[in-house]
Amino acid sequence: MSGDRPTPDLVLYFAPGACSGVTMIALEEIGVPFEARLVAFMAGEHRRPEFLARNPAGKVPTLMVDGQPLTQNPVILAWLARRFPQAGLLPLGGDAIADAQLLGRLSWFSADVHPLVTRIRMPQFMCDLPGAPERVRAMAGEAIRFHLAPLEQALAEAPWLLGDRWSVLDAYLFWVWFRITGAGFAAAEYPAIAAHYERMSDRPSVRRALVREDAAFAELSGRGLAVPLS
């Protein structure tokens, strides 16, 4: 809890394997109580009026804060970092330029890297012409290598993307790596990122988040609504 303010009522709408896992790791890192509510995409729950009232885009993550919705990972993570500074999610220090640059790095994951993950994982949703999905995946794979190169270099020199300090940038990279390697992306080219993934996998907050996601995946499987995670 930050200062003497009461902890807000937090409800995270998520789906296993989706980028909502980044926000879930952040919440586990903070260590405050929150409710995780599963959204079954295969059942169309993300298009139901009650969910669209919370997030008109019909996407996860959606974080309800005392009944008010926050959407989009960069917005949610920046709010969490400011509301719970003791958790060290992002070193926002109040300098306008430095903080904006840091938030720019977070937005880069969401705006530049994440769309390529989608094209690698689900190219058929980008174009369904004969042979096109394979070409979409190949082009996205080429493009994401450009973005991974500086991350590989940074992690060859330090354990985390901000040097010796963990941040939610590391959580976002963890999710990216999980999704693309699960789709067959060649991990051998990026040993430092692969080692970073292993460090993240050992982090207690990540383990707790994965337990929640595994339970959600099992629930979806039991309902015949699971989408393979890899």
Side-chain angles (χ1 to χ4, degrees):
M1 185 166 60
S2 178
D4 57 359
R5 289 181 291 172
T7 301
D9 181 55
L10 301 173
V11 179
L12 175 66
Y13 289 85
F14 79 104
C19 68
S20 51
V22 182
T23 290
M24 187 174 290
I25 291 172
L27 288 167
E28 292 288 1
E29 192 77 24
I30 294 166
V32 296
F34 71 96
E35 179 184 352
R37 293 186 186 174
L38 173 62
V39 178
F41 279 78
M42 294 293 287
E45 292 178 0
H46 61 306
R47 292 291 187 261
R48 292 178 182 173
E50 58 269 28
F51 186 76
L52 293 175
R54 300 180 179 95
N55 187 343
K59 294 183 177 181
V60 294
T62 298
L63 181 67
M64 303 298 293
V65 181
D66 290 334
Q68 298 296 315
L70 293 178
T71 63
Q72 301 294 333
N73 260 322
V75 171
I76 296 170
L77 296 170
W79 181 82
L80 289 172
R82 290 192 169 105
R83 178 61 181 81
F84 302 98
Q86 75 283 358
L89 300 181
L90 283 172
L92 299 171
D95 180 275
I97 292 295
D99 286 357
Q101 290 173 335
L102 189 57
L103 293 174
R105 294 186 67 178
L106 183 58
S107 296
W108 170 78
F109 271 107
S110 177
D112 294 337
V113 180
H114 188 157
L116 296 173
V117 174
T118 303
R119 284 157 176 78
I120 291 170
R121 290 288 311 187
M122 297 178 289
Q124 68 275 15
F125 293 124
M126 304 298 115
C127 186
D128 61 358
L129 293 174
E134 291 78 11
R135 181 57 179 156
V136 168
R137 177 180 282 120
M139 293 180 68
E142 294 170 5
I144 206 168
R145 286 180 171 84
F146 170 79
H147 294 292
L148 292 178
L151 303 180
E152 174 70 14
Q153 181 177 352
L155 291 170
E157 300 171 357
W160 308 114
L161 291 177
L162 295 181
D164 291 331
R165 180 173 186 167
W166 180 92
S167 73
V168 288
L169 299 176
D170 297 292
Y172 223 133
L173 176 58
F174 175 81
W175 176 80
V176 168
W177 193 246
F178 164 73
R179 294 299 280 170
I180 64 175
T181 54
F185 186 84
E189 299 178 42
Y190 303 94
I193 296 177
H196 172 272
Y197 182 85
E198 295 303 319
R199 286 192 294 277
M200 282 292 297
S201 298
D202 288 336
R203 201 169 180 89
S205 61
V206 175
R207 292 200 300 267
R208 292 192 296 269
L210 292 178
V211 167
R212 290 183 187 263
E213 292 222 340
D214 288 346
F217 184 76
E219 178 182 336
L220 291 177
S221 296
R223 296 164 60 187
L225 299 173
V227 177
L229 297 182
S230 63

